[in-house]
Amino acid sequence: MRARDKVAVSALRATLAALDNAEAVPVDESALRGVALEHSPVGAGVTEAVRRELSEHGVAEIVRAEVTERLETAAQLTAPVHADRVAQLHAEAAVLLRFLDGAPTA
C-alpha cells in the first residue's frame, strides 16, 4: 500500500465495506417506532449492538462475491470507451483473488 496502488486500495476498501455490512446486525424497526421521546433509552452505549462474527468461510464467500461482481460488470461493459474501466475491474478482481489463495472453499 505504500506505493499507493489505487487499484488495490479501491478493491480492498470496497471489500472491507462489504464485510462490514455483512457483520451488521439487522435492526428491529418495530422496536424503533412508537417510542415516546421520554421513554427512549438514554446513556452511553444504549444503542450499541454486538456485531456478528463471520467465519473464515463466510469472509471468503464475500470476497468471492466481490470478485464475481467485478468480473460480471467487466463482461457487461463491451463498448471500447469502457476499456479502462474493464481493465481496472479485472485488476481489482486479481487483487482480491490473491487473498483467496489458500482460503477454504466449502
Side-chain angles (χ1 to χ4, degrees), residues 66-89:
E66 290 291 311
V67 169
T68 302
E69 180 182 331
R70 281 164 176 72
L71 295 177
E72 287 175 354
T73 302
Q76 293 173 0
L77 298 174
T78 58
V81 72
H82 297 298
D84 289 342
R85 180 68 179 139
V86 169
Q88 179 181 0
L89 289 168

Side-chain angles (χ1 to χ4, degrees), residues 31-71:
L32 297 177
R33 284 181 278 180
V35 176
L37 182 60
E38 61 272 8
H39 297 288
S40 62
V42 178
V46 294
T47 59
E48 296 295 318
V50 177
R51 296 181 66 80
R52 283 187 266 192
E53 283 194 40
L54 296 173
S55 66
E56 190 174 335
H57 176 71
V59 170
E61 286 302 312
I62 292 170
V63 175
R64 278 188 196 87
E66 290 291 311
V67 169
T68 302
E69 180 182 331
R70 281 164 176 72
L71 295 177

